[in-house]
Amino acid sequence: MAESKRVFIAYTGGTIGMRLSDQGWVPEEGFLEAAMRRVPVFSDGRVPSWDLVEFHPLLDSASIAPRDWIKIARAIRERYDDYDGFVVLHGTDTMAYTASALAFMLEGLGKPVILTGSQIPLCEARNDAQDNLVTSILLAGLYPIPEVCLYFHSKLLRGCRSVKVDSEGFAAFDSPNLPPLGVSGTEIEIDWRRVRPPGSSGFSVHESLDTAQGVLWLFPGITGEIVRNFLAPPLRGVVLQAFGVGNGPANDADFLAALHEARDRGVVLVDCTQCLRGGVHLGDYATGSAMAEAGAVSGHDMTPEAALTKLFFLFGQGHTPAEVEELVQRDLRGELTLPVASGPEPATD
Ligand code: ASP
């Protein structure tokens, strides 16, 4: 049964296939596939059959850039009809950015795209690579989840909700604002109620990305001058990593003026929270209302990775700043939770 399913593996690099060199861990051509061929489970019929294509050069994901997201998206598009699902092997450092970007770039997805990697390479005696890889191949081949997901250490996460939360532990990823789409224990259990339905418009790939975007982490003492410099051209959009529910130093007129000036030039200001969990409510405090008055729009509970790559995607689609402001607040791929409209209290009698 498993063998009759076909999975395409795009190997971009990362620790999972690295070997130790004099300079530390490095990816090496051919090394991962050779290691996989030596482990029986990968070829004895218990997992779907797979083909692996190695990217050139193999990268530590700290060096992954938007051009590599485009390469991954193209590799999937070219083989879309030939496989039941797709696994992207990727370093952990920027995997959440790639998962978020691919969620926007791959529209109308009808098959699983599972990103994974590991904290310890497959060639090591003690490793998390084998389970991450075996389970990802099973998920991609046997579970028709039409989403870009990230599988790591027993959790299947929506890609555009994922964040790297641990630089050392095996449980390196989480999606703090959305429970996992699935968990693997003695069984693989998918929470199908959370899985988005397949796209009705047919599958298409958006390759055009506008990378003149940034992320600005607010901190006590940030000045109008710093903000002005950061928001200077060519920047077109910024994710403001603000305090708590989206607040900023509203008693600093020059800070607010710097935001205003950028907005007047057409820079889109997306207010997100520095907190790992929870979202933005710009009306709750005067310090949040001031951010809205300066022109910031709510990023709701988006991760910075999702908000940034959404700006890459929306500006890349040629939208005007006003359209981007509107679309960035909408749920396009399950990347944000919209606030529940508060109506009148229901009658109790
Ligand atoms: N630096 C590595 C990378 O992101 C770390 C990893 O793969 O876990 O490629």
Side-chain angles (χ1 to χ4, degrees), residues 13-16 18 59-62 90-94 117-119 164:
T15 296
I16 193 161
M18 288 190 185
L59 291 172
D60 183 306
S61 78
H90 197 286
T92 59
D93 289 351
T94 64
S118 69
Q119 296 281 49
K164 185 173 180 181

Side-chain angles (χ1 to χ4, degrees), residues 171-193:
F173 288 89
D174 202 353
S175 57
N177 283 325
L178 189 78
L181 299 184
V183 286
S184 91
T186 51
E187 304 283 333
I188 294 177
E189 284 174 16
I190 305 298
D191 185 348
W192 290 103
R193 294 164 313 159

Side-chain angles (χ1 to χ4, degrees), residues 64-249:
I64 289 263
R67 62 174 174 270
D68 303 300
W69 304 339
I70 296 169
K71 269 169 77 174
I72 299 167
R74 278 187 191 157
I76 292 170
R77 184 186 52 209
E78 283 161 14
R79 295 155 179 96
Y80 190 73
D81 294 329
D82 303 333
Y83 290 90
D84 296 287
F86 301 84
V87 171
V88 178
L89 299 183
H90 197 286
T92 59
D93 289 351
T94 64
M95 194 173 350
Y97 288 89
T98 300
S100 300
L102 289 176
F104 296 114
M105 294 167 75
L106 307 182
E107 185 158 2
L109 201 56
K111 300 179 178 188
V113 173
I114 314 285
L115 282 88
T116 197
S118 69
Q119 296 281 49
I120 299 184
L122 184 63
C123 66
E124 290 291 295
R126 248 187 86 250
N127 72 69
D128 56 334
Q130 185 165 329
D131 172 63
N132 286 348
L133 191 42
V134 167
T135 308
S136 294
I137 295 172
L138 288 168
L139 285 164
L142 304 179
Y143 295 78
I145 300 162
E147 294 207 39
V148 176
C149 300
L150 189 155
Y151 176 76
F152 216 89
H153 191 62
S154 82
K155 281 188 194 163
L156 181 70
L157 309 173
R158 176 169 294 150
C160 55
R161 291 286 196 156
S162 63
V163 281
K164 185 173 180 181
V165 292
D166 194 331
S167 65
E168 296 170 351
F170 284 164
F173 288 89
D174 202 353
S175 57
N177 283 325
L178 189 78
L181 299 184
V183 286
S184 91
T186 51
E187 304 283 333
I188 294 177
E189 284 174 16
I190 305 298
D191 185 348
W192 290 103
R193 294 164 313 159
R194 286 195 200 285
V195 174
R196 286 166 71 81
S200 52
S201 54
F203 177 59
S204 59
V205 173
H206 299 285
E207 288 190 7
S208 177
L209 299 169
D210 182 331
T211 59
Q213 322 297 331
V215 179
L216 180 60
W217 184 274
L218 304 192
F219 53 89
I222 191 169
T223 62
E225 191 187 5
I226 290 173
V227 174
R228 214 167 263 116
N229 280 323
F230 193 88
L231 300 184
L235 202 79
R236 302 192 69 198
V238 67
V239 178
L240 295 168
Q241 287 296 102
F243 309 126
V245 288
N247 306 320

Side-chain angles (χ1 to χ4, degrees), residues 104 107 160-161 196 270 297-302 306-307 310-311 313-314 319 322-339:
F104 296 114
E107 185 158 2
C160 55
R161 291 286 196 156
R196 286 166 71 81
V270 185
V297 296
S298 175
H300 300 291
D301 60 352
M302 274 189 290
K310 195 171 180 180
L311 286 174
F313 166 71
L314 291 174
H319 291 295
E323 289 167 348
V324 172
E325 280 183 351
E326 201 257 316
L327 288 166
V328 82
Q329 298 179 76
R330 275 207 223 156
D331 179 15
L332 303 182
R333 303 283 193 268
E335 72 280 11
L336 58 79
T337 318
L338 288 169

Side-chain angles (χ1 to χ4, degrees), residues 11-19 26-39 50 52-59 89 122-123 133:
Y11 170 36
T12 69
T15 296
I16 193 161
M18 288 190 185
R19 69 165 187 83
V26 285
E28 183 179 281
E29 288 184 13
F31 191 70
L32 177 69
E33 187 164 1
M36 285 174 73
R37 298 277 172 213
R38 285 195 296 273
V39 181
W50 50 271
L52 181 144
V53 167
E54 197 169 84
F55 281 32
H56 297 283
L58 289 169
L59 291 172
L89 299 183
L122 184 63
C123 66
L133 191 42

